[in-house]
Structures are given as structure tokens and as C-alpha cells.
Amino acid sequence: MAFDVPPKRLRSLDEDTPAWLEPEDDDIVAEIKSTILSKIVLVAGKDVKHADIHDWYIAAALTLRDRIVYQWLQSDRATQNHGAKRAYYLSLEFLIGRLLTDALTNMSLMKPFRMAIEDLGLDFDELRNVEPDAALGNGGLGRLAACFMESMASLAIPARGYGIRYEHGLFRQIISNGWQEEFPEQWLLSGNPWEFERRDVVFDIQYSGRLDHAEEDDSEGRTLWIPDETIQAIAYDTPIVGWRGHHVNALRLWSARAVDPMRLDTFNSGDHLGAMSEMARAQAISKFLYPSDETPAGRELRLRQEYFFVSASLQDILNRHLHTDGDIRSLPSHAAIQLNDTHPSLAVPELIRLLMDRYHIGWNDALDITTKTISYTNHTLLPEALETWPVELFERMLPRHLDIIYRINAEHLAAAEKHFGADARSQASVSLIDETGGRRVRMGHLAFVGSHRINGVSAMHSELMRETVFADLNSLYPDRITNKTNGITFRRWLHQCNPELTSLLQDACGAAVLDEPERLRMLERLSDDPAFQQRFQTVKRTNKVALAQIIARQFGIVVDPSALFDVQIKRIHEYKRQLLNAIETIALYQAILDDPQGNWTPRVKIFAGKAAASYRQAKLIIKLINDIGNVINNDPRIRDLLKVVFIPNYNVSAAEVIVPASDLSEQISTAGMEASGTGNMKLALNGAITIGTFDGANIEIAEHVGEENIHIFGMRADEVVQRRSMGLDATDIITSSPKLARVIEAIERGAFSPDDASRFIPIAHALRFLDHYLVSADFDDYYRAQRAVDTKWASPEWTHSSILNVARMAWFSSDRTIREYAEDIWGIPVI
Ligand SMILES: *Cc1c(COP(=O)(O)O)cnc(C)c1O
């Protein structure tokens, strides 16, 4: 937990200030100082001598915000004047992290602010660490949305993000005696200086009630919906500044409130709690982020959340469009709506509903406008993660939308019958309603049918979409599926989090490398230059020393910065296979004990990640990692050859410290299961070498960095399917792998859980008999690949490869990804 607020970073102003920060200007520094001081007095309402570090942070953020606001209004006016088409990014998650450093770098104000703050006698790093880490997302999907917001602003694409302003973001993870415990997160507790509450932007969101079919003879099918519950959505805007401060977009998050916050009649009658129940029911909608990752939270409240933010966002988009254009029918040429996964799929029936019932557009036109405006990004093929909702729940909560879904489905099934013939299998497979075991609405199918483009997030994932879940839909609507491989923003994931490396890259590739990442290629000719290699290694070492200090201070584990830092940081999930890494750790431990004087590569195994609170097996894996660490870290025979560290409460701020300090990047998901990954990109960009499966964007990373500069192992996606079809029993594999057999026996014996020998029996059982994720099946090849990593680490090849990784990662910038969305999906020109 304390990791949120790491102690002093090693950067200081006098040494090594990256050259790309603009030269100091005494006037600017003086002006910033005086504004900060006046904010302390006028905003905090305090004498400066009573201000605490928190007041100073708020004052600094507001001082910066003032400057952003002018740019923001300017950007808006420009878009308005040009009648430009806008992109709207709908996402139930935005994993933002801290904004101060982000905004300072992009506004080119880092240096003067740092000077102003230090002139005021404060520690800049302490101040910026006061900012809470905004975690309105679970993992990769939410972080992608945040990277996209930054890239859209950097490319000056007129865009707006829409989501929910959760009062409590992703839970805070505490590791207690090796177990994960969840605590509520309170990012808004001390106020949020970045946001603007828009009291004038409020929409009614309605639920339940009944349909009045009196108008049914209306050939257009307009139906009167008489809802029986209304709540309000109120907008909060956070400005997102693009690189160099040229363009600013808004992230608009909705907060829920009751129309009638307190029933005075009830209150006066003495029922004080009852009087507030309506308020509580309304506010519950924006109270919590669902902390589930890859599995649907099958809860009514979740569907209420989805409709809440979709309806508010669409009403807002239509209002704005009518205000600027005046013709509702021209929507597709002025607005592109991107759905981040199926969570906003209700946008399809909701847009049709608004067009028909509010703006009196006929069915055919409403459907046509909708599909031309909307597009959908698929993020997972895992069957358990494909969202579906019971028809019965729709009937109760969103009767008009179910009506519309049925009508879409009727036309869609008619088209399918023309295409496939009256074939029951293909009809059932493309239907928006899943009829097997209780009727359910398939949100992925709904989004597919209502969109003109459906994209996957890596080449392999998009291909698997065509071949598996959407095979029949793809045959019915060919050319809709396209690929947009994910990316990351280099501003946050290189320039800000790794200023030392950035400085070196500027020396080597020119200052323009900040604007043109393709210039990183210039490193190729330096990859064997001893002087450059030396500087490159020094930067990595500096970052590792900083991480080692945090690990020592906060977790009391001493790690040697010259050891190989082997890092797996991501959500804990069986398909991501932290278990494979954990059992390789055990095998290595056993091998070292067998030959303590052997020529071993010293390693520090670093793990971080949260498990969904209800995911028992994932939580048991966290406990196993911690228990393994307990045994190994306290075994004097191992000395410094192997250490295991589990860093609690993984979030964006933690990633920003761990990524620059990593040597080896673990991307070891079961092939075919990781849609893309973005952690793999952050790590490779910062010079970590990947050990990974042929999965997601790992494949494209291998193509870019070259097969010699990445360690690929394990079964391919087709081999995984084939192996599974033969059953999940791994006895054959264990019999032929003495190493694996020994590891499993140690786990079963309680070697890592002497206080409870049976604790990890469920894990051992899965390894033996339920090897769905192919942990046992891939073990030997993984162990082999790890030993190849050892060999490489000991040779000059390591630094060479590491430099080539940085040199060849430019393509993974989210600027490239967003340019592709803009050009191929949104029809928005990028300058
Ligand atoms: C990048 C990132 C992720 C995604 O990591 P993957 O390895 O792609 O799963 C998750 N959480 C945080 C905090 C991140 O920064």
C-alpha cells in the first residue's frame, strides 16, 4: 500500500535534468510560485504557514489547470469552427493513474514547476506522490482507454471519452500473511483538482415500467415507454492535454444522483432512513467499479451502470450534434462512437430508441444511422467473459430496449436465412439471443450487428475472432472485422517514467525522437558500441537501484541490483499463468540446492497484480507466491542467487516504477488466450527482454524486435486446442518430466506451507488432472527457455538485444493505433 507513495525518486534538478525540458525562464517560475501561493490562500483558505503537503499539491494542480483551461477552450472553438467530425470513446473503465506529471510534461512545464515548487521549500517528488492514483479500471482494457485519450489529444483529434465517475475505484490490495485482502479505494476523499462539475449537464436516465402498445399500428414501430424509475446523470469533465499542449480533449464521467434526493414527506413522517433510500439507490450506480476482470459480474447493478452511462453519453452526443449541425440525420458524418468492449453495447438499441422515439426517425433510417456511427472493439474470446444478460432482466429493466433488440434480431435472422439457408445451427449461432439454458441477450453479437466495424486488438486475436466466436457473423457480414493492434502512450511509458533513458535516447537519436518515435531505429547502429552499451546499462542500473531501495524499505527484502530482475506484473489470472512462473521458481530453487556452487544467474523474481475478490484459485496463487518467497528468501543456502518479491497493490503508479527497472518481461499466457497485452509493450520499450508465448501482441513484438531478441516458448494456439481436445489430464507429461514431478511433490508435501500442508492441494490437483491452462504441458519448454535467458544474461548479447528492443518498438505507440482507428474506422483525418 505504501508503494503508492514511494520515497524520494533519484531524480533531482541539478543532476541529469533531461535536456528536453524547456530552458528555465525566471518570469515563468516566479509567476507559477505566486499563483500557487495565492491558491493556498484563496482555495484552501489557509495561511501559507498552515498549508500541508496536500494543500500544496492541490494548489499546484490548480495552477497548472488554469493554463490547460485556456488551451482547452481554444481546442473546442477550433473544432466547432471547422465543423470537424468527433470521436466518442465509450468505456466503462479508464485506468488513468496520476495526472500531474502527465499534464506537466505535455504542457512543457515540468522544469519551471519543479523549480517553483522547490523554491517554495517543498520536495517535488513528495508533492506529486500525494496525488491519488485514479484507478477507474481493472487492468489492460481500462489502461488502453487512458492511453487512447492521451493519444487522441496528442494527434489533435476532436474527441471525448465517456465513462462513470466511480466514487470508489479498483480496491486497494493488502497482502496480509501472504493472502490478498481488499480494501475500498478512496481517490476522491481529498477532492479532485482536475475535474469540473457541470451542473448544467444533467440527463434523466430511466428504467423499468411498461410499454404502451397503443401506438403499435404506427408502421414505424414507435412505442411509448412509460418508465417507472428516473435517476439523473451529472457530468464531470477532466481535461486531457496532448503532447506539446496543442490540443485538449475532455474525459466526461457521469455521476448518479436521485431526482428527488430526499422525500420530505417521508422525512417529516419520521422515517429518516427511508427518506434517504431513493438517494442511496440512485447513488449506488456510480459508487463502485466492478472489480472483475475477464468474467462478467452477473449483477443487476452492473447492467444498470451500463445503461446509465450509455444513455447519458448518447443524449449528450445527440444534443451537441443538434446544437452544432441542426440535422439529426447527419450524425454519422459528424460523430464516430467507439465501444470499448461490450460493456457499452446498449448504445445500439439506445441510439435507435432516441432516434425513433425522441427524434421521430423511421426504423430503417434509425438502424442505418446507428450502424454507420457505431463501431466496436472486442477484447476477449474467453467464453466465460463474453457478456450475456437474461432476457427476463431486460424485460424488467429495459423493456423498450428488448423490443428493439428483438426487431433487430428478426431482420438479422432473416438475412442469415438468406445467406445460410434454413440451417438451425447457423441461425442459433448468429442470433442475438442465446437460447441454450435460459434465454440470454448476447452483448457481443448485439454490438457486432449494430456496428460498421468490429476490431480485435492484435493480429492474432482478430484472426481468431474471424475463426471462432464471430465466424458465422463474419461470413454473414464480411469486411466488418478489422484489426487494430493495441499501443501505449510513449509520453507516460517512456518519457515520464524513464527520464534517464529518455535523456540517453535524445542524445543518441536527436531531441526529435520525442515527436518521432521511428527515430529510435537510430539505436540499431549503437547496439554494439561499447560506450553506448555502458551508458545504457548505467541507466538500467540506476532504475534498478531505485526499485531495490523501495523493496528494501517497504518490504524488508534486500535484493541485489546487479541480479536479473525478472518481472511479471499484471492481473492475477489462471490464463496469464503466474503459476507457471511460480513453479519454475520452485524448480530453480531445487536445482540451486542440488548444486549450490553451480554457475547460477542471480535472479530476483518480481510479481505484482490483483486477483478479482471472488476468484479463489487466483488468490491461492498469490498466497503460493508469497509462501514460496518466504521459504526461499529465508534459506541461507540460496544466498543472493534467488529472491522472490510480491509487490502489493499493483497500479499505474507502481508500474511506472517497476517497468524501467525490469530486465526480463514475463508474457507467458496460454497461447490463444491473451487478446493483446500492453504490459508486454511497456516493458520491451524500456529495454526488458521478453520471455513469452506465441500469443496476442507478443507475436508482433517478435516480428518487430526480431526472433533473436525475444525468447519464445511453449505450445502454439492450435496445439493448445489439440492438446485440450485430448483431455486435461497431465499425468503423461508429469511422468516424463522429473523436474515437474518433483515440484508438484514438494507442493503436495507442504514444503512451502509447513503451517498447513494441504493448503496448495487444489493447485497440485489442477497441475496433475485439470491442466486447462497447459501449465504442466508447457513447463519443460519454459524451464528450457529460462535457462537460455540465463546464458544470454551472462553474455554481451544481452545488452545488445535489450537496446534492439528499444530501437524497434516505435510501432507500438498508441499514436499509431489511434491513427489507424481514425483513418480506417472513424473517417477522421489526422494531420
Ligand atoms: C499496462 C497495465 C496493465 C495491463 O497489463 P497486461 O500485462 O497487458 O495484462 C494492467 N494494469 C496496469 C496498472 C497497467 O499499467
Side-chain angles (χ1 to χ4, degrees):
M1 160 194 69
F3 201 81
D4 281 341
V5 189
K8 271 194 151 173
R9 296 291 302 277
L10 296 182
R11 302 164 206 166
S12 84
L13 200 60
D14 14 83
E15 42 170 73
D16 268 317
T17 298
W20 48 281
L21 298 176
E22 81 290 358
E24 71 226 57
D25 175 330
D26 290 345
D27 291 348
I28 295 183
V29 176
E31 193 199 314
I32 292 169
K33 263 168 38 182
S34 87
T35 313
I36 292 178
L37 288 169
S38 72
K39 298 274 184 204
I40 291 281
V41 176
L42 300 175
V43 178
K46 280 188 182 178
D47 257 334
V48 168
K49 67 168 188 275
H50 292 134
D52 62 21
I53 187 72
H54 202 272
D55 298 320
W56 287 108
Y57 156 67
I58 299 273
L62 291 175
T63 301
L64 175 60
R65 196 184 75 169
D66 286 353
R67 289 166 176 263
I68 296 172
V69 169
Y70 289 107
Q71 282 298 111
W72 190 11
L73 300 181
Q74 171 62 33
S75 299
D76 250 13
R77 277 193 299 269
T79 310
Q80 205 93 316
N81 293 342
H82 296 115
K85 185 168 182 177
R86 294 176 200 257
Y88 296 101
Y89 198 80
L90 270 60
S91 180
L92 209 47
E93 303 192 11
F94 287 92
L95 190 54
I96 301 165
R98 294 180 176 133
L99 281 177
L100 181 67
T101 330
D102 206 40
L104 281 175
T105 344
N106 281 5
M107 290 291 285
S108 305
L109 287 169
M110 181 61 108
K111 188 164 180 181
F113 257 79
R114 197 183 257 272
M115 291 180 78
I117 283 158
E118 307 213 328
D119 271 7
L120 288 165
L122 302 156
D123 181 321
F124 179 78
D125 290 323
E126 190 190 341
L127 178 135
R128 74 187 184 91
N129 284 335
V130 165
E131 178 172 3
D133 183 289
L136 308 185
N138 278 290
L141 174 150
R143 183 53 233 173
L144 184 77
C147 282
F148 280 4
M149 287 305 298
E150 202 270 352
S151 276
M152 289 189 286
S154 291
L155 294 174
I157 293 175
R160 186 180 271 175
Y162 280 110
I164 294 181
R165 181 179 176 272
Y166 303 106
E167 203 177 313
H168 303 284
L170 185 59
F171 67 83
R172 199 156 50 85
Q173 178 195 55
I174 286 180
I175 301 296
S176 169
N177 192 26
W179 294 101
Q180 167 176 302
E181 288 179 2
E182 304 90 29
F183 288 83
E185 185 280 339
Q186 311 243 48
W187 70 299
L188 293 172
L189 202 60
S190 310
N192 175 2
W194 302 114
E195 67 183 11
F196 290 83
E197 182 179 355
R198 304 294 191 195
R199 288 169 202 280
D200 54 330
V201 184
V202 178
F203 294 100
D204 281 354
I205 313 297
Q206 304 187 297
Y207 298 94
S208 307
R210 61 190 175 84
L211 298 181
D212 183 345
H213 290 286
E215 289 192 43
E216 210 149 275
D217 56 357
D218 170 358
S219 60
E220 289 301 348
R222 275 182 283 267
T223 301
L224 191 60
W225 175 25
I226 305 146
D228 66 9
E229 184 184 4
T230 302
I231 62 159
Q232 289 184 330
I234 174 162
Y236 287 75
D237 287 347
T238 299
I240 305 292
V241 196
W243 174 233
R244 303 262 188 228
H246 296 314
H247 187 93
V248 182
N249 284 323
L251 172 59
R252 176 160 283 185
L253 301 178
W254 302 104
S255 183
R257 68 175 189 199
V259 180
D260 185 7
M262 198 168 62
R263 302 280 305 275
L264 263 189
D265 50 344
T266 321
F267 190 83
N268 290 336
S269 76
D271 179 8
H272 298 161
L273 289 178
M276 286 187 281
S277 66
E278 190 185 334
M279 184 167 73
R281 182 169 158 83
Q283 287 174 352
I285 290 185
S286 52
K287 202 82 167 173
F288 289 100
L289 164 80
Y290 268 90
S292 88
D293 190 61
E294 306 287 350
T295 51
R299 299 277 306 282
E300 205 169 313
L301 182 57
R302 170 79 168 203
L303 189 61
R304 276 168 71 81
Q305 286 185 327
E306 292 181 354
Y307 181 61
F308 167 78
F309 105 100
V310 160
S311 179
S313 308
L314 287 178
Q315 292 185 62
D316 197 36
I317 291 167
L318 290 182
N319 263 10
R320 189 189 211 183
H321 173 64
L322 274 183
H323 185 76
T324 53
D325 192 70
D327 177 11
I328 195 77
R329 290 170 190 274
S330 67
L331 185 72
S333 41
H334 289 89
I337 297 176
Q338 188 71 37
L339 310 183
N340 194 25
D341 212 346
T342 55
H343 317 142
S345 294
L346 283 167
V348 173
E350 174 67 357
L351 184 52
I352 294 174
R353 180 188 77 87
L354 290 168
L355 291 171
M356 292 184 71
D357 299 357
R358 188 173 289 180
Y359 297 103
H360 305 287
I361 303 240
W363 170 262
N364 288 331
D365 287 351
L367 186 59
D368 184 55
I369 292 170
T370 298
T371 50
K372 281 184 173 145
T373 307
I374 291 179
S375 45
Y376 151 58
T377 305
N378 172 279
H379 282 272
T380 179
L381 306 172
L382 304 188
E384 68 268 31
L386 287 168
E387 229 184 344
T388 63
W389 292 103
V391 163
E392 167 278 321
L393 179 57
F394 260 87
E395 255 159 21
R396 226 171 352 103
M397 191 189 296
L398 299 165
R400 174 64 177 132
H401 297 80
L402 184 62
D403 214 36
I404 291 170
I405 290 168
Y406 280 156
R407 184 156 177 195
I408 300 173
N409 203 32
E411 293 189 2
H412 160 64
L413 289 179
E417 187 169 337
K418 262 199 203 133
H419 180 80
F420 296 108
D423 157 25
R425 191 210 59 84
S426 50
Q427 287 274 312
S429 127
V430 299
S431 175
L432 303 190
I433 309 294
D434 181 356
E435 310 272 355
T436 56
R439 307 179 69 228
R440 302 177 71 91
V441 179
R442 292 169 164 153
M443 302 305 268
H445 281 43
L446 175 61
F448 192 116
V449 172
S451 296
H452 63 288
R453 283 287 179 280
I454 297 92
N455 75 284
V457 289
S458 73
M460 183 210 217
H461 168 66
S462 298
E463 204 39 55
L464 288 174
M465 273 168 64
R466 289 193 186 98
E467 290 167 8
T468 62
V469 271
F470 295 138
D472 288 325
L473 283 171
N474 183 47
S475 138
L476 185 53
Y477 307 102
D479 310 327
R480 281 200 194 179
I481 295 184
T482 172
N483 176 57
K484 295 287 163 272
T485 300
N486 283 168
I488 54 172
T489 165
F490 284 21
R491 268 75 62 183
R492 183 178 289 261
W493 296 111
L494 178 60
H495 309 163
Q496 287 161 44
C497 78
N498 202 343
E500 289 82 3
L501 180 58
T502 304
S503 197
L504 177 60
L505 297 175
Q506 284 202 288
D507 284 355
C509 314
V513 73
L514 303 179
D515 303 272
E516 301 157 23
E518 301 74 25
R519 278 177 169 257
L520 289 170
R521 282 264 172 211
M522 295 164 81
L523 293 177
E524 288 192 5
R525 62 183 165 79
L526 293 170
S527 62
D528 289 315
D529 176 312
F532 184 79
Q533 284 199 345
Q534 170 99 49
R535 292 180 69 192
F536 187 85
Q537 285 166 343
T538 305
V539 167
K540 183 61 83 181
R541 182 168 173 99
T542 306
N543 294 330
K544 289 169 71 178
V545 167
L547 179 58
Q549 283 177 358
I550 292 171
I551 291 172
R553 253 180 274 191
Q554 296 191 16
F555 317 117
I557 301 172
V558 177
V559 300
D560 179 359
S562 54
L564 187 162
F565 280 17
D566 172 348
V567 169
Q568 189 170 21
I569 48 175
K570 49 182 76 247
R571 287 293 291 239
I572 311 290
H573 203 293
E574 286 165 288
Y575 86 80
K576 289 178 183 278
R577 297 202 296 190
Q578 281 88 0
L579 179 57
L580 179 58
N581 191 352
I583 63 175
E584 193 270 338
T585 307
I586 297 175
L588 181 58
Y589 171 59
Q590 292 171 336
I592 296 173
L593 288 183
D594 286 348
D595 178 14
Q597 300 311 319
N599 182 26
W600 300 103
T601 296
R603 277 196 196 228
V604 182
K605 290 262 190 183
I606 296 170
F607 293 85
K610 296 176 183 177
S614 58
Y615 193 167
R616 288 185 51 187
Q617 191 77 350
K619 292 171 97 169
L620 192 58
I621 291 168
I622 292 177
K623 173 64 172 161
L624 176 65
I625 294 166
N626 281 292
D627 281 1
I628 293 172
N630 234 339
V631 170
I632 296 178
N633 299 344
N634 294 309
D635 188 335
R637 297 169 295 177
I638 294 298
R639 294 167 288 136
D640 261 355
L641 293 178
L642 184 57
K643 287 268 151 70
V644 181
V645 183
F646 190 98
I647 294 174
N649 203 37
Y650 181 55
N651 59 15
V652 171
S653 300
E656 287 167 353
V657 180
I658 301 168
V659 165
S662 303
D663 294 310
L664 185 65
S665 163
E666 299 270 356
Q667 307 300 337
I668 59 177
S669 50
T670 313
M673 300 194 79
E674 186 76 90
S676 162
T678 49
N680 47 4
M681 301 170 191
K682 298 166 196 167
L683 285 153
L685 178 63
N686 283 272
I689 293 178
T690 304
I691 182 167
T693 44
F694 222 62
D695 200 17
N698 294 352
I699 299 170
E700 287 152 277
I701 291 176
E703 283 166 12
H704 280 82
V705 304
E707 304 261 342
E708 354 44 272
N709 301 304
I710 186 167
H711 294 261
I712 298 287
F713 73 94
M715 290 188 177
R716 309 288 155 125
D718 53 341
E719 295 167 330
V720 167
V721 173
Q722 207 192 338
R723 164 93 203 164
R724 274 185 192 149
S725 72
M726 288 154 39
L728 302 180
D729 191 307
T731 307
D732 55 336
I733 285 159
I734 297 165
T735 312
S736 65
S737 170
K739 275 200 174 61
L740 177 59
R742 192 173 166 200
V743 168
I744 297 175
E745 280 153 25
I747 293 173
E748 281 167 338
R749 200 176 351 109
F752 303 98
S753 54
D755 55 323
D756 175 5
S758 66
R759 177 176 300 137
F760 299 118
I761 294 295
I763 286 178
H765 182 81
L767 289 169
R768 287 192 187 282
F769 307 114
L770 293 170
D771 196 25
H772 181 70
Y773 299 97
L774 293 292
V775 174
S776 291
D778 270 346
F779 175 81
D780 273 355
D781 201 31
Y782 179 56
Y783 191 86
R784 173 204 59 77
Q786 287 286 23
R787 302 295 73 79
V789 166
D790 287 344
T791 309
K792 186 157 188 163
W793 176 255
S795 83
E797 279 300 296
W798 185 274
T799 304
H800 168 79
S801 273
S802 170
I803 294 170
L804 287 181
N805 267 267
V806 181
R808 296 171 177 176
M809 283 299 290
W811 189 76
F812 296 92
S813 163
S814 47
D815 295 353
R816 185 270 312 155
T817 313
I818 284 298
R819 213 174 252 122
E820 292 182 7
Y821 274 89
E823 285 167 4
D824 305 342
I825 299 181
W826 302 336
I828 297 182
V830 185
I831 341 117

